[in-house]
PDB file of all heavy atoms in Angstrom:
ATOM      1  N   LEU A  11      39.998  36.661 -38.082  1.00 91.00           N
ATOM      2  CA  LEU A  11      40.923  37.233 -37.040  1.00 91.00           C
ATOM      3  C   LEU A  11      42.038  36.217 -36.723  1.00 91.00           C
ATOM      4  O   LEU A  11      43.173  36.691 -36.742  1.00 91.00           O
ATOM      5  CB  LEU A  11      40.178  37.550 -35.727  1.00 91.00           C
ATOM      6  CG  LEU A  11      40.904  37.963 -34.574  1.00 91.00           C
ATOM      7  CD1 LEU A  11      41.627  39.260 -34.887  1.00 91.00           C
ATOM      8  CD2 LEU A  11      40.036  38.044 -33.324  1.00 91.00           C
ATOM      9  N   TRP A  12      41.694  34.955 -36.574  1.00 93.00           N
ATOM     10  CA  TRP A  12      42.744  33.957 -36.247  1.00 93.00           C
ATOM     11  C   TRP A  12      43.732  33.700 -37.280  1.00 93.00           C
ATOM     12  O   TRP A  12      44.878  33.388 -37.139  1.00 93.00           O
ATOM     13  CB  TRP A  12      42.054  32.628 -35.821  1.00 93.00           C
ATOM     14  CG  TRP A  12      41.039  32.703 -34.805  1.00 93.00           C
ATOM     15  CD1 TRP A  12      39.794  32.155 -34.864  1.00 93.00           C
ATOM     16  CD2 TRP A  12      41.095  33.457 -33.479  1.00 93.00           C
ATOM     17  NE1 TRP A  12      39.111  32.359 -33.640  1.00 93.00           N
ATOM     18  CE2 TRP A  12      39.903  33.164 -32.863  1.00 93.00           C
ATOM     19  CE3 TRP A  12      42.103  34.175 -32.939  1.00 93.00           C
ATOM     20  CZ2 TRP A  12      39.563  33.707 -31.615  1.00 93.00           C
ATOM     21  CZ3 TRP A  12      41.827  34.751 -31.639  1.00 93.00           C
ATOM     22  CH2 TRP A  12      40.617  34.459 -31.035  1.00 93.00           C
ATOM     23  N   GLY A  13      43.267  33.938 -38.609  1.00 90.00           N
ATOM     24  CA  GLY A  13      44.130  33.735 -39.708  1.00 90.00           C
ATOM     25  C   GLY A  13      44.943  34.968 -40.090  1.00 90.00           C
ATOM     26  O   GLY A  13      45.696  34.962 -41.125  1.00 90.00           O
ATOM     27  N   ALA A  14      44.777  36.048 -39.360  1.00 90.00           N
ATOM     28  CA  ALA A  14      45.527  37.310 -39.741  1.00 90.00           C
ATOM     29  C   ALA A  14      47.017  37.149 -39.577  1.00 90.00           C
ATOM     30  O   ALA A  14      47.789  37.709 -40.406  1.00 90.00           O
ATOM     31  CB  ALA A  14      44.977  38.483 -38.921  1.00 90.00           C
ATOM     32  N   PRO A  15      47.603  36.562 -38.542  1.00 90.00           N
ATOM     33  CA  PRO A  15      49.085  36.529 -38.423  1.00 90.00           C
ATOM     34  C   PRO A  15      49.675  35.721 -39.531  1.00 90.00           C
ATOM     35  O   PRO A  15      49.132  34.693 -40.035  1.00 90.00           O
ATOM     36  CB  PRO A  15      49.244  35.740 -37.010  1.00 90.00           C
ATOM     37  CG  PRO A  15      47.949  36.005 -36.266  1.00 90.00           C
ATOM     38  CD  PRO A  15      46.879  36.117 -37.336  1.00 90.00           C
ATOM     39  N   GLN A  16      50.805  36.161 -40.009  1.00 90.00           N
ATOM     40  CA  GLN A  16      51.546  35.436 -41.006  1.00 90.00           C
ATOM     41  C   GLN A  16      52.022  34.043 -40.543  1.00 90.00           C
ATOM     42  O   GLN A  16      52.331  33.873 -39.341  1.00 90.00           O
ATOM     43  CB  GLN A  16      52.788  36.274 -41.559  1.00 90.00           C
ATOM     44  CG  GLN A  16      52.331  37.610 -42.212  1.00 90.00           C
ATOM     45  CD  GLN A  16      51.500  37.371 -43.515  1.00 90.00           C
ATOM     46  OE1 GLN A  16      51.828  36.545 -44.214  1.00 90.00           O
ATOM     47  NE2 GLN A  16      50.513  38.209 -43.678  1.00 90.00           N
ATOM     48  N   SER A  17      51.927  33.099 -41.430  1.00 89.00           N
ATOM     49  CA  SER A  17      52.431  31.734 -41.045  1.00 89.00           C
ATOM     50  C   SER A  17      53.880  31.668 -40.637  1.00 89.00           C
ATOM     51  O   SER A  17      54.280  30.606 -40.027  1.00 89.00           O
ATOM     52  CB  SER A  17      52.128  30.712 -42.193  1.00 89.00           C
ATOM     53  OG  SER A  17      52.883  31.069 -43.348  1.00 89.00           O
ATOM     54  N   ASP A  18      54.729  32.544 -41.040  1.00 89.00           N
ATOM     55  CA  ASP A  18      56.038  32.543 -40.662  1.00 89.00           C
ATOM     56  C   ASP A  18      56.341  33.253 -39.379  1.00 89.00           C
ATOM     57  O   ASP A  18      57.578  33.462 -38.989  1.00 89.00           O
ATOM     58  CB  ASP A  18      56.975  33.099 -41.771  1.00 89.00           C
ATOM     59  CG  ASP A  18      56.640  34.599 -42.044  1.00 89.00           C
ATOM     60  OD1 ASP A  18      55.638  35.142 -41.522  1.00 89.00           O
ATOM     61  OD2 ASP A  18      57.345  35.204 -42.882  1.00 89.00           O
ATOM     62  N   SER A  19      55.397  33.593 -38.613  1.00 91.00           N
ATOM     63  CA  SER A  19      55.562  34.280 -37.318  1.00 91.00           C
ATOM     64  C   SER A  19      54.853  33.363 -36.217  1.00 91.00           C
ATOM     65  O   SER A  19      53.869  32.620 -36.475  1.00 91.00           O
ATOM     66  CB  SER A  19      54.823  35.624 -37.323  1.00 91.00           C
ATOM     67  OG  SER A  19      54.639  36.096 -36.027  1.00 91.00           O
ATOM     68  N   TRP A  20      55.498  33.367 -35.078  1.00 93.00           N
ATOM     69  CA  TRP A  20      54.995  32.589 -33.988  1.00 93.00           C
ATOM     70  C   TRP A  20      53.701  33.041 -33.517  1.00 93.00           C
ATOM     71  O   TRP A  20      52.964  32.352 -32.711  1.00 93.00           O
ATOM     72  CB  TRP A  20      56.081  32.497 -32.769  1.00 93.00           C
ATOM     73  CG  TRP A  20      57.182  31.640 -33.084  1.00 93.00           C
ATOM     74  CD1 TRP A  20      58.509  32.142 -33.299  1.00 93.00           C
ATOM     75  CD2 TRP A  20      57.238  30.276 -33.217  1.00 93.00           C
ATOM     76  NE1 TRP A  20      59.324  31.064 -33.548  1.00 93.00           N
ATOM     77  CE2 TRP A  20      58.579  29.876 -33.480  1.00 93.00           C
ATOM     78  CE3 TRP A  20      56.236  29.221 -33.080  1.00 93.00           C
ATOM     79  CZ2 TRP A  20      58.939  28.508 -33.610  1.00 93.00           C
ATOM     80  CZ3 TRP A  20      56.622  27.939 -33.241  1.00 93.00           C
ATOM     81  CH2 TRP A  20      58.026  27.584 -33.570  1.00 93.00           C
ATOM     82  N   LEU A  21      53.299  34.300 -33.886  1.00 93.00           N
ATOM     83  CA  LEU A  21      51.944  34.764 -33.540  1.00 93.00           C
ATOM     84  C   LEU A  21      50.806  33.982 -34.127  1.00 93.00           C
ATOM     85  O   LEU A  21      49.700  33.955 -33.663  1.00 93.00           O
ATOM     86  CB  LEU A  21      51.808  36.228 -33.993  1.00 93.00           C
ATOM     87  CG  LEU A  21      52.564  37.277 -33.177  1.00 93.00           C
ATOM     88  CD1 LEU A  21      52.380  38.653 -33.849  1.00 93.00           C
ATOM     89  CD2 LEU A  21      52.054  37.373 -31.743  1.00 93.00           C
ATOM     90  N   ALA A  22      51.124  33.212 -35.201  1.00 93.00           N
ATOM     91  CA  ALA A  22      50.158  32.275 -35.788  1.00 93.00           C
ATOM     92  C   ALA A  22      49.698  31.192 -34.742  1.00 93.00           C
ATOM     93  O   ALA A  22      48.555  30.823 -34.909  1.00 93.00           O
ATOM     94  CB  ALA A  22      50.778  31.617 -37.001  1.00 93.00           C
ATOM     95  N   LEU A  23      50.573  30.975 -33.817  1.00 95.00           N
ATOM     96  CA  LEU A  23      50.247  29.924 -32.835  1.00 95.00           C
ATOM     97  C   LEU A  23      48.997  30.398 -31.984  1.00 95.00           C
ATOM     98  O   LEU A  23      48.163  29.707 -31.514  1.00 95.00           O
ATOM     99  CB  LEU A  23      51.374  29.592 -31.922  1.00 95.00           C
ATOM    100  CG  LEU A  23      51.247  28.555 -30.865  1.00 95.00           C
ATOM    101  CD1 LEU A  23      50.778  27.227 -31.477  1.00 95.00           C
ATOM    102  CD2 LEU A  23      52.432  28.448 -30.069  1.00 95.00           C
ATOM    103  N   VAL A  24      48.993  31.820 -31.686  1.00 94.00           N
ATOM    104  CA  VAL A  24      47.854  32.386 -31.043  1.00 94.00           C
ATOM    105  C   VAL A  24      46.533  32.184 -31.846  1.00 94.00           C
ATOM    106  O   VAL A  24      45.475  31.889 -31.243  1.00 94.00           O
ATOM    107  CB  VAL A  24      48.151  33.843 -30.728  1.00 94.00           C
ATOM    108  CG1 VAL A  24      46.923  34.552 -30.054  1.00 94.00           C
ATOM    109  CG2 VAL A  24      49.423  34.045 -29.959  1.00 94.00           C
ATOM    110  N   GLY A  25      46.706  32.374 -33.098  1.00 94.00           N
ATOM    111  CA  GLY A  25      45.484  32.239 -33.985  1.00 94.00           C
ATOM    112  C   GLY A  25      44.924  30.815 -33.942  1.00 94.00           C
ATOM    113  O   GLY A  25      43.770  30.501 -33.844  1.00 94.00           O
ATOM    114  N   PHE A  26      45.918  29.822 -33.961  1.00 96.00           N
ATOM    115  CA  PHE A  26      45.470  28.393 -33.841  1.00 96.00           C
ATOM    116  C   PHE A  26      44.835  28.061 -32.603  1.00 96.00           C
ATOM    117  O   PHE A  26      43.879  27.333 -32.568  1.00 96.00           O
ATOM    118  CB  PHE A  26      46.733  27.514 -34.165  1.00 96.00           C
ATOM    119  CG  PHE A  26      47.220  27.682 -35.556  1.00 96.00           C
ATOM    120  CD1 PHE A  26      48.649  27.638 -35.756  1.00 96.00           C
ATOM    121  CD2 PHE A  26      46.490  27.734 -36.660  1.00 96.00           C
ATOM    122  CE1 PHE A  26      49.175  27.812 -37.020  1.00 96.00           C
ATOM    123  CE2 PHE A  26      46.960  27.864 -37.979  1.00 96.00           C
ATOM    124  CZ  PHE A  26      48.361  27.901 -38.106  1.00 96.00           C
ATOM    125  N   ALA A  27      45.403  28.597 -31.454  1.00 96.00           N
ATOM    126  CA  ALA A  27      44.793  28.405 -30.187  1.00 96.00           C
ATOM    127  C   ALA A  27      43.487  29.048 -30.042  1.00 96.00           C
ATOM    128  O   ALA A  27      42.530  28.433 -29.542  1.00 96.00           O
ATOM    129  CB  ALA A  27      45.750  28.875 -29.115  1.00 96.00           C
ATOM    130  N   GLY A  28      43.280  30.177 -30.715  1.00 96.00           N
ATOM    131  CA  GLY A  28      42.020  30.876 -30.621  1.00 96.00           C
ATOM    132  C   GLY A  28      40.969  30.113 -31.334  1.00 96.00           C
ATOM    133  O   GLY A  28      39.861  29.933 -30.972  1.00 96.00           O
ATOM    134  N   HIS A  29      41.381  29.673 -32.547  1.00 96.00           N
ATOM    135  CA  HIS A  29      40.438  28.861 -33.396  1.00 96.00           C
ATOM    136  C   HIS A  29      40.090  27.609 -32.651  1.00 96.00           C
ATOM    137  O   HIS A  29      38.872  27.153 -32.698  1.00 96.00           O
ATOM    138  CB  HIS A  29      41.141  28.527 -34.661  1.00 96.00           C
ATOM    139  CG  HIS A  29      40.393  27.556 -35.583  1.00 96.00           C
ATOM    140  ND1 HIS A  29      39.356  27.939 -36.385  1.00 96.00           N
ATOM    141  CD2 HIS A  29      40.545  26.198 -35.682  1.00 96.00           C
ATOM    142  CE1 HIS A  29      38.830  26.889 -36.970  1.00 96.00           C
ATOM    143  NE2 HIS A  29      39.539  25.867 -36.589  1.00 96.00           N
ATOM    144  N   ALA A  30      41.053  26.857 -32.068  1.00 96.00           N
ATOM    145  CA  ALA A  30      40.806  25.664 -31.334  1.00 96.00           C
ATOM    146  C   ALA A  30      39.748  25.909 -30.169  1.00 96.00           C
ATOM    147  O   ALA A  30      38.865  25.078 -29.971  1.00 96.00           O
ATOM    148  CB  ALA A  30      42.030  25.008 -30.789  1.00 96.00           C
ATOM    149  N   PHE A  31      39.989  27.012 -29.470  1.00 97.00           N
ATOM    150  CA  PHE A  31      39.006  27.258 -28.340  1.00 97.00           C
ATOM    151  C   PHE A  31      37.652  27.670 -28.808  1.00 97.00           C
ATOM    152  O   PHE A  31      36.643  27.048 -28.303  1.00 97.00           O
ATOM    153  CB  PHE A  31      39.574  28.465 -27.543  1.00 97.00           C
ATOM    154  CG  PHE A  31      38.685  28.856 -26.377  1.00 97.00           C
ATOM    155  CD1 PHE A  31      38.814  28.221 -25.188  1.00 97.00           C
ATOM    156  CD2 PHE A  31      37.813  29.930 -26.550  1.00 97.00           C
ATOM    157  CE1 PHE A  31      37.935  28.622 -24.133  1.00 97.00           C
ATOM    158  CE2 PHE A  31      36.984  30.315 -25.475  1.00 97.00           C
ATOM    159  CZ  PHE A  31      37.078  29.622 -24.324  1.00 97.00           C
ATOM    160  N   ILE A  32      37.525  28.421 -29.732  1.00 96.00           N
ATOM    161  CA  ILE A  32      36.227  28.822 -30.356  1.00 96.00           C
ATOM    162  C   ILE A  32      35.439  27.694 -30.899  1.00 96.00           C
ATOM    163  O   ILE A  32      34.211  27.480 -30.603  1.00 96.00           O
ATOM    164  CB  ILE A  32      36.317  30.012 -31.358  1.00 96.00           C
ATOM    165  CG1 ILE A  32      36.890  31.190 -30.700  1.00 96.00           C
ATOM    166  CG2 ILE A  32      34.993  30.310 -32.010  1.00 96.00           C
ATOM    167  CD1 ILE A  32      36.033  31.878 -29.622  1.00 96.00           C
ATOM    168  N   THR A  33      36.073  26.901 -31.762  1.00 95.00           N
ATOM    169  CA  THR A  33      35.335  25.766 -32.363  1.00 95.00           C
ATOM    170  C   THR A  33      34.983  24.819 -31.414  1.00 95.00           C
ATOM    171  O   THR A  33      33.848  24.175 -31.504  1.00 95.00           O
ATOM    172  CB  THR A  33      36.258  25.147 -33.509  1.00 95.00           C
ATOM    173  OG1 THR A  33      37.526  24.754 -32.951  1.00 95.00           O
ATOM    174  CG2 THR A  33      36.472  26.115 -34.657  1.00 95.00           C
ATOM    175  N   THR A  34      35.786  24.445 -30.386  1.00 96.00           N
ATOM    176  CA  THR A  34      35.426  23.493 -29.387  1.00 96.00           C
ATOM    177  C   THR A  34      34.266  24.015 -28.548  1.00 96.00           C
ATOM    178  O   THR A  34      33.333  23.348 -28.140  1.00 96.00           O
ATOM    179  CB  THR A  34      36.632  23.237 -28.501  1.00 96.00           C
ATOM    180  OG1 THR A  34      37.732  22.745 -29.346  1.00 96.00           O
ATOM    181  CG2 THR A  34      36.323  22.079 -27.464  1.00 96.00           C
ATOM    182  N   ALA A  35      34.375  25.370 -28.099  1.00 96.00           N
ATOM    183  CA  ALA A  35      33.258  25.998 -27.351  1.00 96.00           C
ATOM    184  C   ALA A  35      31.941  25.962 -28.078  1.00 96.00           C
ATOM    185  O   ALA A  35      30.910  25.710 -27.570  1.00 96.00           O
ATOM    186  CB  ALA A  35      33.672  27.382 -26.970  1.00 96.00           C
ATOM    187  N   LEU A  36      31.908  26.195 -29.439  1.00 96.00           N
ATOM    188  CA  LEU A  36      30.768  26.170 -30.208  1.00 96.00           C
ATOM    189  C   LEU A  36      30.216  24.751 -30.366  1.00 96.00           C
ATOM    190  O   LEU A  36      28.975  24.517 -30.368  1.00 96.00           O
ATOM    191  CB  LEU A  36      30.976  26.697 -31.659  1.00 96.00           C
ATOM    192  CG  LEU A  36      31.337  28.249 -31.610  1.00 96.00           C
ATOM    193  CD1 LEU A  36      31.577  28.666 -33.106  1.00 96.00           C
ATOM    194  CD2 LEU A  36      30.188  29.093 -31.115  1.00 96.00           C
ATOM    195  N   LEU A  37      31.051  23.716 -30.412  1.00 95.00           N
ATOM    196  CA  LEU A  37      30.676  22.408 -30.433  1.00 95.00           C
ATOM    197  C   LEU A  37      30.036  22.004 -29.097  1.00 95.00           C
ATOM    198  O   LEU A  37      28.912  21.386 -29.107  1.00 95.00           O
ATOM    199  CB  LEU A  37      31.879  21.393 -30.810  1.00 95.00           C
ATOM    200  CG  LEU A  37      31.556  19.966 -30.726  1.00 95.00           C
ATOM    201  CD1 LEU A  37      30.535  19.646 -31.800  1.00 95.00           C
ATOM    202  CD2 LEU A  37      32.870  19.148 -30.999  1.00 95.00           C
ATOM    203  N   ALA A  38      30.588  22.443 -27.998  1.00 95.00           N
ATOM    204  CA  ALA A  38      30.055  22.211 -26.723  1.00 95.00           C
ATOM    205  C   ALA A  38      28.701  22.836 -26.580  1.00 95.00           C
ATOM    206  O   ALA A  38      27.749  22.240 -26.041  1.00 95.00           O
ATOM    207  CB  ALA A  38      30.909  22.567 -25.547  1.00 95.00           C
TER     208      ALA A  38
END
């Protein structure tokens, strides 16, 4: 899901933020 936005779109930033939140939450 996080990797769905194209890298040439600013929507990719949403994917990176979602990935950062999920991986950090799973680590916690």
Side-chain angles (χ1 to χ4, degrees):
L11 173 63
W12 307 133
Q16 296 296 320
S17 61
D18 59 353
S19 169
W20 286 111
L21 287 176
L23 185 60
V24 178
F26 295 138
H29 172 83
F31 178 84
I32 293 297
T33 54
T34 304
L36 292 177
L37 178 60

